[in-house]
């Protein structure tokens, strides 16, 4: 891939993963990029999901990154 926007790639990878994804795993999956660009992409995603109208957030947990539902929506999540 020549000169690509890493943000949607990271968003896709993190969304489909069932467990937190360590930065080292992302670096290995994306040899077209580097750790700094990946971390920058993660920060861009986190900023996008800070909006109060979003149901998800990207969190650093258990040594990796994972999408989770925001705690404020727990009442509805428990219904499922």
């Amino acid at each position: 891939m020549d000169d690509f926007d890493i943000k949607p790639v990271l968003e896709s990878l993190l969304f489909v993963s069932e467990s937190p994804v360590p930065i080292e795993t992302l670096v290995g999956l994306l040899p077209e990029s580097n750790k700094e660009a990946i971390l920058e992409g993660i920060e861009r995603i986190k900023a996008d999901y800070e909006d109060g109208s979003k149901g998800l957030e990207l969190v650093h947990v258990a040594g990796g990154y994972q999408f989770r539902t925001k705690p404020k929506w727990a009442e509805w999540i428990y219904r499922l």
Side-chain angles (χ1 to χ4, degrees), residues 12-59:
S12 299
L13 292 170
L14 295 169
F15 182 78
V16 300
S17 179
E18 294 179 4
S19 59
V21 182
I23 189 70
E24 295 79 16
T25 300
L26 294 169
V27 170
L29 288 170
L30 300 166
E32 311 81 356
S33 195
N34 60 55
K35 185 175 181 177
E36 293 75 26
I38 292 169
L39 289 170
E40 180 182 321
I42 287 169
E43 289 305 315
R44 289 173 51 208
I45 294 168
K46 287 171 85 171
D48 284 352
Y49 283 86
E50 285 177 357
D51 181 339
S53 69
K54 305 281 187 186
L56 302 175
E57 62 186 348
L58 182 60
V59 296

Side-chain angles (χ1 to χ4, degrees), residues 59-76:
V59 296
H60 186 259
V61 61
Y65 293 91
Q66 184 176 41
F67 276 108
R68 293 202 167 171
T69 55
K70 290 183 178 177
K72 74 186 229 178
W73 307 119
E75 175 185 345
W76 291 274

